[in-house]
Amino acid sequence: MWSLDRWLKRRTLAHHPVPPELWSRVRKRLPILDGLSAEEDRYLLDSCVLFLQAKTLTALEGVDLDDESRLFLAAQAQLPLLALGDLNWYQGFHEIVLYPHDFISPQKHRDASGIEHEWNGEHSGEAWTQGPVILAWSGVLMSGGWGAYNLVIHELAHKLDMLNGDANGLPPLHRGMNVSEWAHTMQSAFDALNHQLDIHPHAHTAIDPYAAENPGEFFAVTSEYFFSAPDLLANAYPAVYQQLKAFYRQDTLARLTALEQQNPAYKAHTKV
Ligand code: ZN
């Protein structure tokens, strides 16, 4: 059946061809894309082109945003959506603002006794409900490898989480997924991490202790690990890995394991 939406997308893709050498340069800078099939690669590239046409990237002074940089960012933004179908998952924002480095932004928090605290915090990323995503370009450049860090995926996981309300660690789950199973799995792991930090505030935790801040951060940090250190995540919190695998519909651990089987030194060379 003819569809206006599909026709518009095809037209956009035809008007914005990406030279193969440019895409291959971007792919080389993004080890987390290694192991994708040719079909997934093609789909990802098309998604990047559509994403870059649909969103406004605003680069502040000090960020040099050429075509390669734009694709480098878009590919990381689109990787989590690779198997999620054409459902406009990033409908909640239109703009990504890029600061050259970490930025100061006002923070507000109401504590348990109702007192509101305000302070200025230094951040490398922020995702505002009903607003833009803000990223420090220095953090984007550090992302893309298997080094348990991905600023782009972290902030965009918050956006997925916000699709059904506040960033509370519960994004809209697919049919067939069980909300109470998700909540129980995430809460247990979140509690275990908090318990570990309560006993030893400087404990060497299996994942970034920032995940213990609140359930929204737990989902964002574990999503980040799911794509950039699936082995660490699956080892520390296997049930969380399984829930994220069901949500993102990708098996990143299988992808990484296959790459390591082909080349035992693979991961050591591809940490950013
Ligand atoms: Zn966060």
Side-chain angles (χ1 to χ4, degrees):
M1 195 173 46
W2 191 83
S3 135
L4 175 65
D5 189 48
R6 221 175 307 146
W7 180 79
L8 285 171
K9 282 179 178 167
R10 265 208 300 270
R11 200 177 68 152
T12 303
L13 294 171
H15 284 185
H16 299 90
V18 173
E21 2 17 292
L22 173 59
W23 182 236
S24 100
R25 278 205 304 278
V26 172
R27 287 287 316 253
K28 279 204 189 88
R29 293 172 59 192
L30 290 168
I32 51 169
L33 304 185
D34 289 351
L36 295 183
S37 68
E39 196 186 334
E40 288 168 328
D41 181 78
R42 184 74 234 166
Y43 181 85
L44 185 73
L45 175 56
D46 287 353
S47 312
C48 288
V49 173
L50 296 170
F51 176 78
L52 289 171
Q53 289 307 310
K55 307 295 181 202
T56 303
L57 303 192
T58 304
L60 301 187
E61 203 181 322
V63 181
D64 181 20
L65 211 56
D66 58 10
D67 285 349
E68 184 174 328
S69 304
R70 289 161 61 83
L71 272 175
F72 178 74
L73 173 64
Q76 296 179 79
Q78 289 301 312
L79 176 64
L81 306 189
L82 187 64
L84 295 189
D86 217 356
L87 287 174
N88 205 4
W89 289 86
Y90 291 151
Q91 60 190 269
F93 68 100
H94 304 289
E95 185 182 16
I96 300 183
V97 180
L98 301 161
Y99 280 71
H101 299 290
D102 286 2
F103 50 91
I104 307 285
S105 73
Q107 305 293 310
K108 240 189 230 177
H109 171 70
R110 191 180 292 276
D111 70 20
S113 55
I115 298 169
E116 198 160 86
H117 302 267
E118 290 187 34
W119 73 98
N120 284 325
E122 200 178 28
H123 287 258
S124 45
E126 262 179 10
W128 294 0
T129 318
Q130 315 269 320
V133 174
I134 306 177
L135 301 169
W137 189 247
S138 51
V140 176
L141 290 177
M142 283 164 59
S143 307
W146 300 103
Y149 177 81
N150 196 296
L151 179 62
V152 181
I153 292 175
H154 179 109
E155 295 306 330
L156 291 178
H158 284 313
K159 280 294 186 189
L160 298 178
D161 193 352
M162 288 170 189
L163 280 170
N164 55 359
D166 290 338
N168 58 0
L170 176 66
L173 302 182
H174 312 300
R175 204 176 293 169
M177 289 184 75
N178 184 316
V179 174
S180 52
E181 209 180 298
W182 172 281
H184 174 74
T185 302
M186 295 305 207
Q187 188 70 44
S188 313
F190 175 75
D191 289 345
L193 181 62
N194 271 287
H195 182 64
Q196 189 186 1
L197 289 165
D198 285 346
I199 299 171
H200 298 293
H202 301 292
H204 183 73
T205 49
I207 65 169
D208 186 342
Y210 189 58
E213 285 280 309
N214 58 53
E217 291 305 340
F218 190 81
F219 171 64
V221 171
T222 52
S223 291
E224 198 180 337
Y225 275 66
F226 182 79
F227 289 101
S228 69
D231 46 351
L232 288 183
L233 179 66
N235 195 32
Y237 303 110
V240 170
Y241 180 84
Q242 290 305 325
Q243 288 294 325
L244 292 178
K245 181 178 153 193
F247 177 67
Y248 288 112
R249 294 181 169 153
Q250 298 186 47
D251 192 348
T252 46
L253 180 61
R255 213 147 67 207
L256 177 59
T257 307
L259 291 163
E260 286 178 317
Q261 276 165 358
Q262 286 156 24
N263 172 10
Y266 173 76
K267 198 176 164 195
H269 290 298
T270 51
K271 282 191 181 186
V272 166

